[in-house]
Amino acid sequence: MVDIAELQTFEHDVVVIGAGGAGLRAAIECSRRGLNTAIVCKSLLGKAHTVMAEGGMAAALGNVDPRDNWKIHFRDTMRGGKFLNQWRMAELHAKEAPARVNELEEWGAVFDRAKNGLISQRNFGGHRYPRLAHVGDRTGLEMIRTLQDYGIHQGFAVHMECTALDLLKDGERIAGVVAYWRENGRFLLLKTKAVILATGGAGKAWKVTSNSWEYTGDGLAMAYLAGATLMDMEFVQFHPTGMVWPPSVRGTLVTEGVRGDGGILLNNKHERFMFNYIPERFAPETASTEDEARRWLQGDKEARRPPELLTRDVVARAITSEVKAGRGSPHGGVFLDIASQVPADMIKKKLPSMYHQFKELANVDITKEAMEVGPTTHYFMGGVQVDHESQQSVVPGLFACGECAAGLHGANRLGGNSLSDLLVFGRRAGLGAADYVASMASFPCIDEAQVRQSMRRATDILNRESGANPYLVHEALQKVMNDGVGIVRSEADLTAALAGLEHVKRDVERVKADGASQYNPGWHAALDLRNLLIVSEAVARAALMRQESRGGHSRVDHPNEEEVWGEYHIVIHQGRNGMDVEKVRRAEPPRELAAIAYATLESLEGSNG
Amino acid sequence: MAKRIFNIWRGDATGGRFVEYHTDVDTGMVVLDVVHRIQAEQAGDLSCRWNCKAGKCGSCSMEIDGKPRLACMTRMDTFSPSATVTLQPLRAFPILKDLVTDVSWNYQQNKRIPPFRPRPRDADGRYRMQQIDVDRIQEFRKCIECFMCQDVCHVLRDHSRFDTFVGPRFMIRLASLAMHPLDALDRIPAVRKEFGSGMCNITKCCTEVCPEQISITDNGIIPLKERVVDRFFDPLMWVKRNLLRRSA
């Protein structure tokens, strides 16, 4: 065993784990506050999952439709989240998003322009007005590259291809991080006063997912093991449109921008079925005929929005129902058709990477034929429970932002609210950590036993004589989650899934990676399994407890949204004998915010707002 | 189904060799799927970078049958069913292990480039630009940093002039700044002197391998070279700049 004194050691004020939009924005803020900051990323810098975000970032700039303002963005966010959102977070997000977009432009982002020269904005599901600042269908790339190119001049250290294993504590508070370099398998110890988690979700627990290998819930699991609480874990977003064919790309994302720019959904009878799935709550603001939907697309301000732009939970469930009823496409999805709606050159201009992706991977020319699409695991609304102002968890010194934090999105996230979330709350986590560090009297102490334990868990996987193949264990876990904790759930399926996870747990405990510690993907995958397992169990347990259907959580045995459940969050923490799952009553909504959320649109528009 | 044959380079900085693998290939599979299958079934420690598996992150660059390609966008049905497919790491960069190379030099070059420096905002606190004025730099900003253009650049690959030329990737990064309507920094002297624009001899190999189809040479490097020429080598401009300004 390595002598701790000889371990490569860094000392920082703040360590940010994760280098997507939230992590980079948090690190930038920490550096601006004069803190000695490091960012730890599993991949090369600039490759994090943010790069895959396509459609845009939501901010009520009002550049395209001046009737928009923060109140309507806030109202849309709450309605999209089925009112389970943390009220103050939704308020801060709507108020601060425009400033974050403008700041990104000042740092070099080149958004698509409106005719008046300002940043253009596009329509998206659940957003009343064109609100998404975007760059074609590669907005995430623009965002991460901008933050990267700006960030590398702000003075924070970047530890690339470095994976965090465990958080260290000094009593109750955060003291450090144990990590390893992927390149050579050597361990490093990061002593730090505060940690900001920006590790995203855990979509890799499902077989059909839009997420990359990095999405293994590391931050969620590390926080849980360090004593933090996880909230709203039952709410996993299934994006309505992932590719379904060929099998090797099943789950790969097809941006909502296709529908925002006019794409329609059809079943195998060539019916525009979304008209049959308009929820009562959204009926007054949704087109009732194809003709009205067409007029809306042409810019008629009196017309209402097409039903394809209902919130993601609604569209994903509708597609699932159509397929189940035998009205699906040949490969088990439905048809997404933009070819018949928008001229070919416009499609190539607005959706170049979708054009490219289908052409290269599926031999489909989306300017001529319809795409086949179906739901894919996409996003965690739930995550580490945090204070809305500082993003601090219940563990002093542990902060979380972006997808791995809970609160903003409630039961369902609106498309475009993720990129703005990353910037608004990435910055806030940086500020929160700065305040925390400033208030600290002494540097926390490292408990060497914790460090040793973390390293031993990692090396055991290589040193074992024999054991389970990490790739196959991962596949088994994905199957359990796909079968039992998918888009439509039931008590029987969830109970079976929990039993299945127990089985997987036994394999995870005796997993064995072949080869040495040098850039060994089998070992890396084996290490991620613990985290995936914790998060999977949390999702399944929370989903079992919530006996209703709301947003991203659908139960066949409890098909309706129940008013009483709107008063509770499900909160998870590590207990003495395993995972404790609790129903926690929510605070009363702030009166002025409730008034906005339940107001009519007309009373909020433009200067009324 | 008949097994397909893959020759994959295994080794590290100290040396290595090609190892033959036989595996099944299903409909629609790309080369990256094959690598994953071999990892799961035969070689758990076979190293390969990847992230998005949709051509958006530029992680899985490798040389496939000798040509730099993204493994996630290279479909198996583009090869003859009986052909052996060869996979090896990018050759311009030091090998770490198997298909993974050390690309840190690229990150060092990026850090040398002075960051975007915007002019002040308009009176109402906003920036205005017309779409037509940003089309060109948006093309450059499509770059996913796969570094395949760096891999095929003769200056880097064959002549190892890593000390004098930043390579096509960072030429277009410089171009995206130099042509940015809001950027207020004069970048042309540095493009010539510190970043070595003169080293490029316009063979366009970089453009050919770009998975984002960016016209690296025609739209990026050549216009930069022209600006350098106008500034430093055009006699009329020289007179105008150095003599007329002085007398004014």
Side-chain angles (χ1 to χ4, degrees), chain A residues 43-49 51-52 54 61-63 102-103 105-119 134-138 141-142 145-146 148-150 152-153 156 160-161 183 204 210-214 245-249 252-253 349 352-354 356-363 469 471-472 475 514-516 518-523, chain B residues 11-13 26-30 33 36 39-41 43-59 72-75 77 96-98 100-104 107 110-118 121-122 124-132 134-135 137-147 169 173 176 180-182 211-213:
Chain A
S43 291
L44 296 170
L45 190 61
K47 308 295 185 194
H49 215 281
V51 88
M52 290 184 75
E54 292 163 355
L61 295 158
N63 288 355
N102 288 330
E103 176 181 79
E105 186 172 54
E106 192 170 297
W107 295 347
V110 185
F111 292 104
D112 287 353
R113 315 309 296 184
K115 285 210 172 68
N116 59 12
L118 298 173
I119 294 169
H134 61 276
V135 186
D137 54 4
R138 56 161 191 88
L141 172 66
E142 186 70 18
R145 199 66 79 232
T146 301
Q148 174 187 348
D149 290 341
Y150 180 80
I152 55 173
H153 297 285
F156 55 79
M160 285 205 286
E161 298 201 301
E183 176 186 338
K204 268 293 162 190
S210 66
N211 291 178
S212 79
W213 67 269
E214 293 191 291
W245 186 261
S248 66
V249 295
T252 299
L253 189 65
K349 169 97 189 135
S353 62
M354 284 304 105
H356 189 64
Q357 180 175 314
F358 273 90
K359 192 114 188 147
E360 297 289 323
L361 297 175
N363 269 341
N469 174 336
Y471 298 100
L472 301 184
E475 272 177 35
D514 292 326
Q518 186 193 8
Y519 218 113
N520 183 343
W523 185 44
Chain B
D12 56 26
D26 302 328
T27 312
M29 270 172 74
V30 293
D33 293 315
H36 287 161
Q39 284 175 336
E41 295 175 355
D45 60 348
L46 167 61
S47 312
C48 166
R49 278 197 186 103
W50 73 283
N51 278 57
C52 77
K53 203 171 172 291
K56 294 187 172 68
C57 77
S59 299
C72 73
M73 296 302 279
T74 307
R75 287 169 59 119
D77 58 13
L96 288 180
K97 183 165 163 275
D98 303 338
V100 177
T101 56
D102 176 1
V103 292
S104 57
Y107 287 87
N110 195 30
K111 204 161 179 176
R112 289 173 57 212
I113 296 175
F116 176 62
R117 188 184 298 170
R121 292 175 179 277
D122 297 348
D124 63 354
R126 310 178 111 175
Y127 286 121
R128 281 174 183 76
M129 296 183 274
Q130 288 306 313
Q131 183 62 42
I132 196 169
V134 298
D135 277 341
I137 59 170
Q138 283 188 333
E139 179 191 357
F140 303 147
R141 294 182 67 85
K142 286 191 326 199
C143 170
I144 57 174
E145 296 203 326
C146 64
F147 304 130
R169 157 59 189 134
R173 164 122 173 83
S176 78
H180 196 307
L182 302 181
E212 288 292 311
Q213 279 125 32

Side-chain angles (χ1 to χ4, degrees), chain A residues 379-392:
Chain A
Y379 187 87
F380 271 52
M381 271 70 76
V384 180
Q385 187 179 23
V386 291
D387 172 71
H388 66 268
E389 287 271 348
S390 68
Q391 300 290 107
Q392 187 166 215

Side-chain angles (χ1 to χ4, degrees), chain A residues 192-215:
Chain A
T192 185
K193 296 172 184 166
V195 167
I196 299 176
L197 297 171
T199 53
K204 268 293 162 190
W206 283 261
K207 199 159 73 183
V208 179
T209 176
S210 66
N211 291 178
S212 79
W213 67 269
E214 293 191 291
Y215 258 44

Side-chain angles (χ1 to χ4, degrees), chain A residues 65 84 89 198 382 386 397 440 473 568 585:
Chain A
D65 196 321
L84 209 64
M89 279 175 85
V386 291
M440 278 184 84
V473 177
Y568 293 95
R585 201 177 179 88

